[in-house]
Amino acid sequence: MTTLAPAPVKLKVDLKAELAAIPPERYNFDRDFQRQILAVALQKPEFLLGFRDVFEPEYFEDTQHEVIAIGALEHFDAFGRPPEFSSLREILRKSEVLKPGEFTQASSEALALYRLNVVDIGLVKQLAIEFGCHQAIRRAILASSSDLAPGMGKVDFDKIQARIDAARRVGQDRMDMGRLYLKQRNDRKGSTALQKLGRPCTTGWPGFDRLLAGGLYPTQMGVVLAPPKRGKTSVCVNIAAANVMMGRRVHYYTCEVSAEIIEERLDQRLCGLTREEVQKQWSRVVETKLAMLEAKGGEVVVKFYPMRTATVRTVRDHLRRVSDERGAQADLVIVDYGALLKPSRTYKDSSYQTVGGIYEDLKSLAQDGKVPLWTPQQANRGSLRKAKVTEEDQADTFVPAQVCDAQFALCMTDEDMLQKQMRLLLTLNRNGPGGVGIKVSRDMKTQTLIETGAISEEEDRVHREHDKKVAAKKR
């Protein structure tokens, strides 16, 4: 396996120096410009309506201007219009931010802003988004510099990166006013909404692909739900293998087993051989098969992260770096599995929200990267004896079911295990019907899962009866 060169890490970052190096001619958002922004906000009711998300009090460097902005926003949020001078004056009088004796000066400045003649209001509005983004990034850099100060302990670079990324998104949505359903009706002609997302990635099981209207589409996230040791990783390996056989580029992130084990299981699945046979027939079978798949354009980038060391941000950055180096975007991402990543935020009293946040971030990764993403999730212990695992059996958090586009459960009774088979039940499906599934034969010696047919209504009834009996014994 070709090892990708690690990205250079800048260990000593003088963020204040970088901030000071920003060319002033490019960002001339000085006190005079900030006065013009405030004047327009106070004089033109439509300004705050259209630029509310980039008009934050902390963006103003003068304390008087910050307090005036707070007053303007309080009044606007309450009444839907900027305050008259008399109303703003009362807000300033009650301000706890102004020091004793500063009220008169702040009041005079507010009056001057009401009277200020802004010559080019259009230009001020045009620069408002850039101003908000610039000030947000500036504040993020200054906040991050304190995190890097000596004596602060281990630096959380993911936290710093997230802070700066959030600042860059300020005003991003400003120009997107939404779609006009009736006026833009002809945009929908000729292709479905799913088809507009791009080419779907196969699951490797034709019956499942039909239920998913072709497979998992770019921006969509699929969840593989199963109890412990039921074959979640084998399912992920089969999905990866099915796509690489079609010439697709797959990024496989593993946190539970090593990259070498994932590669070995791919060898077994792609060549239909046992672990021992892979080594014995390497030159005659394996090398030939893998070279053929490479020639078709297929590839699997396998990346291992120890448990709880990588965040979704880490995965996102690796995806971007590999895509830049290889000049090709990933067709499919597999994260095996989400709950073993490090959360980007934690909730003191709620592991439900903490783990759930990881799956929300994974869905965001799929949406931002316009790539399909599969990730397993653990089912609870009670599901081990069930014939039919459903979305109600999720462990840790229900969030994956809330945000995913498709979820299928690995269902297996003791009888199924003896017969070397399992059932894949599509519990949630935004692309089509749910509550249906397929039967699959299991050959774990070659990591091969082959579809053998649909689950019949009679079989489904038997499985429901089985679970009723199990539940009755518990009671």
Side-chain angles (χ1 to χ4, degrees):
M1 175 180 173
T2 303
T3 303
L4 295 168
V9 178
K10 194 173 183 180
L11 297 178
K12 295 184 179 180
V13 182
D14 189 347
L15 292 174
K16 287 186 176 179
E18 291 191 7
L19 178 65
I22 295 176
E25 66 275 9
R26 183 178 176 188
Y27 292 115
N28 190 22
F29 297 132
D30 54 13
R31 187 176 188 277
D32 181 60
F33 180 82
Q34 292 176 34
R35 291 187 82 234
Q36 292 184 62
I37 285 264
L38 271 173
V40 174
L42 293 171
Q43 296 174 26
K44 303 295 179 182
E46 72 276 7
F47 180 82
L48 286 180
L49 182 64
F51 295 88
R52 175 67 177 80
D53 58 335
V54 298
F55 187 84
E56 294 294 340
E58 61 264 26
Y59 294 167
F60 296 92
E61 297 163 18
D62 188 300
T63 302
Q64 293 179 22
H65 292 163
E66 183 178 355
V67 175
I68 291 170
I70 290 172
L73 287 177
E74 284 181 358
H75 193 279
F76 178 81
D77 290 342
F79 303 103
R81 64 180 186 277
E84 300 287 342
F85 172 67
S86 57
S87 299
L88 181 58
R89 194 168 186 272
E90 285 304 307
I91 294 173
L92 296 177
R93 188 191 302 279
K94 298 174 182 177
S95 172
E96 297 179 358
V97 178
L98 293 174
K99 296 177 182 178
E102 291 183 339
F103 163 71
T104 302
Q105 189 175 0
S107 182
S108 297
E109 174 64 5
L111 181 60
L113 292 173
Y114 278 102
R115 294 173 174 174
L116 183 64
N117 180 26
V118 180
V119 178
D120 197 341
I121 293 177
L123 179 61
V124 172
K125 290 181 178 180
Q126 187 178 342
L127 292 175
I129 297 175
E130 192 175 354
F131 165 73
C133 187
H134 171 268
Q135 295 299 86
I137 293 174
R138 184 178 188 277
R139 288 177 60 82
I141 291 175
L142 290 174
S144 299
S145 66
S146 62
D147 292 338
L148 293 168
M152 292 301 292
K154 185 178 179 180
V155 178
D156 189 342
F157 288 105
D158 286 325
K159 178 182 176 183
I160 293 174
Q161 184 69 59
R163 183 186 291 144
I164 293 175
D165 285 348
R168 285 178 175 150
R169 289 194 295 270
V170 167
Q172 193 177 71
D173 194 48
R174 171 65 180 76
M175 302 309 294
D176 184 2
M177 304 301 289
R179 292 187 57 79
L180 298 173
Y181 167 70
L182 296 176
K183 189 175 184 64
Q184 296 177 288
R185 58 189 178 275
N186 286 326
D187 290 353
R188 301 187 291 277
K189 184 178 180 181
S191 59
T192 67
L194 284 175
Q195 289 170 340
K196 289 181 185 298
L197 293 177
R199 185 177 59 169
C201 279
T202 181
T203 61
W205 304 294
F208 242 32
D209 285 347
R210 284 193 295 272
L211 293 170
L212 291 169
L216 198 68
Y217 286 78
T219 75
Q220 292 192 324
M221 182 177 81
V223 172
V224 181
L225 179 66
K229 310 304 178 186
R230 280 293 195 263
K232 293 186 290 295
T233 295
S234 293
V235 165
C236 290
V237 166
N238 272 261
I239 292 175
N243 281 277
V244 78
M245 283 191 282
M246 296 179 68
R248 306 284 178 82
R249 297 175 297 276
V250 181
H251 284 226
Y252 195 121
Y253 296 93
T254 171
C255 301
E256 192 170 28
V257 299
S258 69
E260 289 77 12
I261 289 177
I262 297 299
E263 289 179 317
E264 184 176 70
R265 291 187 181 185
L266 283 167
D267 290 339
Q268 294 172 251
R269 175 63 187 91
L270 290 167
C271 301
L273 302 173
T274 66
R275 183 185 294 114
E276 294 74 19
E277 289 170 341
V278 164
Q279 295 304 318
K280 290 178 181 178
Q281 301 187 41
W282 186 271
S283 299
R284 187 169 61 86
V285 177
V286 180
E287 169 62 28
T288 302
K289 177 73 172 181
L290 300 188
M292 180 187 71
L293 293 176
E294 184 181 21
K296 287 179 64 176
E299 184 57 280
V300 185
V301 176
V302 185
K303 176 65 176 175
F304 170 72
Y305 291 111
M307 290 188 287
R308 306 284 192 274
T309 61
T311 64
V312 175
R313 160 58 57 187
T314 311
V315 174
R316 188 189 294 261
D317 288 346
H318 181 267
L319 261 175
R320 184 182 297 119
R321 180 162 63 86
V322 174
S323 296
D324 289 346
E325 288 188 9
R326 293 179 174 269
Q329 299 293 319
D331 295 310
L332 174 66
V333 174
I334 296 173
V335 179
D336 186 9
Y337 56 96
L340 296 181
L341 293 173
K342 178 183 175 182
S344 58
R345 52 196 180 278
T346 57
Y347 298 86
K348 185 177 180 181
D349 301 318
S350 178
S351 61
Y352 176 96
Q353 290 177 294
T354 299
V355 176
I358 296 173
Y359 287 93
E360 290 174 338
D361 290 345
L362 285 172
K363 177 62 180 290
S364 176
L365 187 156
Q367 292 174 325
D368 293 343
K370 294 181 174 55
V371 61
L373 185 150
W374 282 105
T375 184
Q377 185 198 6
Q378 200 81 271
N380 57 38
R381 285 179 295 178
S383 64
L384 281 167
R385 295 185 176 276
K386 293 183 67 175
K388 190 173 180 180
V389 180
T390 71
E391 65 272 19
E392 295 178 355
D393 297 307
Q394 295 176 110
D396 300 322
T397 176
F398 198 71
V399 172
Q402 295 172 323
V403 301
C404 74
D405 299 280
Q407 180 188 73
F408 67 84
L410 276 60
C411 306
M412 209 183 320
T413 62
D414 292 340
E415 184 181 350
D416 290 325
M417 294 184 73
L418 289 173
Q419 294 180 359
K420 296 184 179 180
Q421 66 180 23
M422 68 167 63
R423 284 160 288 110
L424 305 183
L425 180 65
L426 195 57
T427 57
L428 299 168
N429 183 13
R430 283 192 177 143
N431 298 355
V436 289
I438 60 173
K439 294 178 289 187
V440 172
S441 65
R442 300 169 64 239
D443 182 357
M444 301 315 292
K445 290 184 178 180
T446 62
Q447 296 295 313
T448 302
L449 303 177
I450 301 294
E451 179 181 343
T452 58
I455 300 172
S456 68
E457 291 184 7
E458 176 60 21
E459 289 171 320
D460 187 59
R461 185 192 65 77
V462 171
H463 297 145
R464 290 199 305 271
E465 289 298 323
H466 173 278
D467 290 344
K468 285 180 182 179
K469 292 177 182 178
V470 171
K473 286 183 180 179
K474 285 184 179 180
R475 290 195 293 268

